[in-house]
């Protein structure tokens, strides 16, 4: 009798927990729930593939088991299904430029699970980001967030991080400014020469980060540039460990120094430099860098100034992206959310379309291009049998209006629904 009561108490507690946790927490679900069928939507299995109308995606054990037209995919009767009629199904998105350094993420080990899951949803999963690359934050804190997600305690995206950013001496704004911006105080390694850059890179990478992030020019006048030998030392150390290097270039000099130094990913356009001319574009193309445009950011940073200034800044960046895409360059979608507290990516999609990107090119920047750059194309980026079931179900078809990429009905990671919108 005693035992029965104890079991009841435990069960009652478990039921209470599962009630509290749905739908944002509690990824560790029962086995049948690892199977799921999406029925009736228009499927873009990859950026280059023809749409499948009235399609089915069958998920088993968290992976895609089959995808195709309704008549061609057999789904066992007991598999739960989501009705996706009238909706559009694409692979899970990457946001390749985010930050987890707003104060809301501090002391990540002790943020209550529903609150932490809610924050991840507000910034990322409600917009379909099932993967995100944090390009600068307090690494040990970010690692705790990632660990809590990966343990199954809370629902959230796959997180990669560069940890603490390498900057030049005195390049960081004063702490009072960072406080006003709502950011956590994070001591960053300041480097001036090759030896310092090598030591700082070793320290950051030894911590277990997924790459490095450098500022190669200061954000403030007179826009000092990091010496080329310091950039090469950092890049050399990262590449020796098969890790990627992101750069915040700021200026034309900062951009050229970064590209010549061998960085992999240019994390911003550079509206301050004016349009990119042929020497800049050629240097970027020859170095095979990928570009993260962050177009909306430029308007946001000038939001207290006259609207025409913000528009000019964004339009210069749109022109840079247009030239980069026309030259055949690789683009990774990224918005700098966390640094920017407007999380909705809809305007970014519209600006990318203004730069001449088709919806298929934007889809590639969200899925296949980052999967390839980050060495994940065997597992992520497309809807194909054997790949992880990371999927986004959209309320509308982005081939008609790219803003539909932001209108998410369901975000699914490893076959689990980690975000569901109110209808
Ligand atoms: Zn950033």
């Amino acid at each position: 009798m005693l035992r029965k009561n104890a079991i009841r108490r435990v069960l009652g507690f478990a039921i209470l927990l599962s009630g509290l946790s749905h739908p944002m927490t509690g990824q560790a679900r029962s086995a049948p729930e690892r199977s799921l069928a999406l029925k009736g939507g228009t499927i873009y299995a990859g950026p280059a593939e023809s749409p499948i109308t009235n399609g089915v995606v069958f998920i088993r054990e968290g992976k895609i088991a089959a995808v195709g037209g309704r008549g061609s995919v057999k789904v066992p009767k007991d598999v739960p299904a989501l009705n996706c009629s009238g909706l559009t199904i694409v692979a899970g998105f990457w946001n390749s430029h985010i930050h987890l350094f707003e104060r809301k993420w501090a002391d990540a080990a002790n943020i209550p699970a529903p609150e932490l899951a809610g924050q991840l949803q507000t910034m990322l999963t409600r917009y379909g980001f099932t993967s995100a690359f944090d390009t600068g934050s307090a690494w040990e804190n970010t690692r705790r967030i990632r660990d809590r997600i990966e343990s199954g305690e809370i629902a959230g995206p796959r997180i990669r991080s560069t940890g603490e950013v390498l900057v030049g001496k005195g390049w960081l704004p004063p702490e009072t400014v960072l406080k006003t911006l709502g950011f956590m105080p994070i001591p960053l390694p300041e480097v001036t020469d090759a030896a310092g850059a090598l030591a700082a890179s070793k320290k950051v990478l030894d911590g277990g980060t997924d790459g490095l992030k450098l500022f190669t020019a200061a954000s403030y006048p007179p826009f000092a540039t990091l010496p080329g030998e310091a950039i090469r030392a950092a890049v050399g150390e990262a590449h020796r460990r098969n890790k990627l290097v992101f750069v915040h270039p700021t200026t034309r000099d900062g951009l050229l120094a970064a590209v010549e130094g061998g960085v992999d990913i240019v994390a911003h356009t550079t509206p301050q430099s004016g349009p990119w001319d042929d020497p800049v574009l050629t240097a970027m193309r020859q170095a095979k860098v990928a570009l993260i445009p962050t177009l909306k950011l430029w308007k946001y940073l000038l939001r207290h100034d006259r609207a025409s200034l913000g528009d000019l800044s964004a339009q210069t960046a749109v022109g840079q992206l247009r030239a980069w895409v026309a030259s055949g360059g690789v683009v990774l979608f990224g918005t700098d959310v966390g640094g920017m507290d407007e999380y909705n990516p809809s305007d970014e999609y519209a600006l990318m379309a203004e730069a001449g990107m088709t919806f298929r090119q934007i889809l590639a920047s969200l899925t296949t291009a980052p999967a390839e750059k980050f060495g994940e194309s065997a597992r992520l980026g497309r809807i194909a049998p054997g790949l992880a079931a990371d999927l986004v179900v959209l309320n509308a078809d982005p081939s008609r209006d790219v803003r539909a990429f932001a209108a998410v009905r369901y975000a699914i990671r490893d076959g689990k629904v980690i975000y569901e919108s109110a209808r």
Side-chain angles (χ1 to χ4, degrees), residues 7-356:
I7 289 168
R8 240 183 240 147
R9 265 204 311 275
V10 171
L11 267 181
F13 187 57
I15 289 162
L16 178 72
L17 272 183
S18 71
L20 278 175
S21 65
H22 187 78
M24 296 190 301
T25 60
Q27 281 194 73
R29 295 193 180 164
S30 57
E33 283 191 71
R34 307 226 338 130
S35 292
L36 182 68
L38 311 187
K39 292 184 175 172
T42 297
I43 302 169
Y44 292 97
E49 290 176 51
S50 308
I52 301 165
T53 52
N54 197 13
V56 174
V57 182
F58 173 31
I59 299 163
R60 196 172 46 209
E61 298 290 317
K63 289 191 171 149
I64 294 159
V67 54
R70 205 151 190 167
S72 68
V73 176
K74 289 264 169 292
V75 179
K77 271 208 179 78
D78 59 344
V79 170
L82 293 176
N83 177 6
C84 294
S85 304
L87 308 178
T88 300
I89 305 168
V90 288
F93 298 157
W94 284 83
N95 191 328
S96 300
H97 188 154
I98 72 151
H99 295 283
L100 295 168
F101 59 34
E102 286 176 276
R103 276 195 299 276
K104 66 173 80 166
W105 307 107
D107 194 18
N110 295 309
I111 303 172
E115 192 170 16
L116 182 55
Q119 289 180 185
L120 290 163
Q121 180 171 298
T122 302
M123 187 161 98
L124 297 167
T125 52
R126 67 161 294 184
Y127 298 114
F129 298 112
T130 51
S131 300
F133 216 124
D134 161 73
T135 59
S137 65
W139 165 236
E140 282 305 327
N141 194 65
T142 298
R143 189 215 293 263
R144 297 307 286 265
I145 298 171
R146 185 176 74 182
D147 288 351
R148 291 184 69 181
I149 295 169
E150 295 311 312
S151 74
E153 183 199 357
I154 55 168
R158 302 170 196 279
I159 290 177
R160 290 190 172 206
S161 176
T162 62
E164 283 79 3
V165 178
L166 275 62
V167 295
K169 206 161 188 64
W171 289 6
L172 212 60
E175 203 172 305
T176 45
V177 172
L178 294 174
K179 251 188 186 161
T180 311
L181 290 169
F183 300 155
M184 295 160 57
I186 306 169
L188 297 183
E190 294 187 330
V191 303
T192 53
D193 57 15
L198 181 63
S201 302
K202 282 184 170 166
K203 193 169 175 218
V204 169
L205 291 162
D206 283 348
T209 65
D210 302 295
L212 285 182
K213 162 87 171 287
L214 315 172
F215 270 60
T216 50
S219 295
Y220 303 93
F223 303 109
T225 307
L226 216 58
E229 57 176 26
I231 299 169
R232 279 191 294 277
V235 169
E237 185 58 24
H239 286 179
R240 201 171 63 74
R241 305 181 191 213
N242 290 318
K243 299 285 166 92
L244 296 168
V245 182
F246 291 74
V247 66
H248 180 117
T250 316
T251 60
R252 179 189 162 90
D253 284 351
L255 177 55
L256 286 173
V259 167
E260 282 156 17
V263 305
D264 305 285
I265 296 156
V266 176
H268 294 288
T269 43
T270 62
Q272 296 182 56
S273 74
W276 285 344
D277 54 17
D278 278 341
V280 168
L281 290 163
T282 304
M284 287 173 68
R285 215 173 37 240
Q286 283 176 351
K288 295 192 167 60
V289 294
L291 172 68
I292 303 173
T294 68
L295 303 173
K296 179 189 174 177
L297 174 69
W298 308 122
K299 256 188 182 171
Y300 171 86
L301 289 176
L302 292 169
R303 65 198 180 284
H304 304 300
D305 293 272
R306 278 163 39 204
S308 56
L309 280 181
D311 289 343
L312 178 65
S313 186
Q315 283 313 307
T316 305
V318 163
Q320 292 171 341
L321 177 60
R322 184 181 297 118
W324 178 242
V325 171
S327 79
V330 172
V331 177
L332 310 181
F333 182 86
T335 44
D336 210 2
V337 287
M340 170 171 76
D341 64 9
E342 290 177 16
Y343 298 153
N344 189 329
S346 179
D347 288 347
E348 185 74 14
Y349 296 129
L351 288 165
M352 289 168 92
E354 245 182 88

Side-chain angles (χ1 to χ4, degrees), residues 355-414:
M357 290 184 77
T358 64
F359 105 93
R360 288 178 183 280
Q361 287 174 315
I362 296 173
L363 180 60
S365 79
L366 286 160
T367 56
T368 47
E372 192 170 322
K373 198 74 187 174
F374 304 143
E376 290 279 18
S377 34
R379 193 164 70 115
L380 300 171
R382 290 170 300 119
I383 306 177
L387 269 66
D390 282 20
L391 302 158
V392 186
V393 181
L394 302 168
N395 286 319
D397 189 335
S399 72
R400 295 195 195 111
D401 177 359
V402 294
R403 286 185 185 272
F405 279 124
V408 172
R409 175 68 62 85
Y410 302 107
I412 297 166
R413 182 188 159 191
D414 287 323

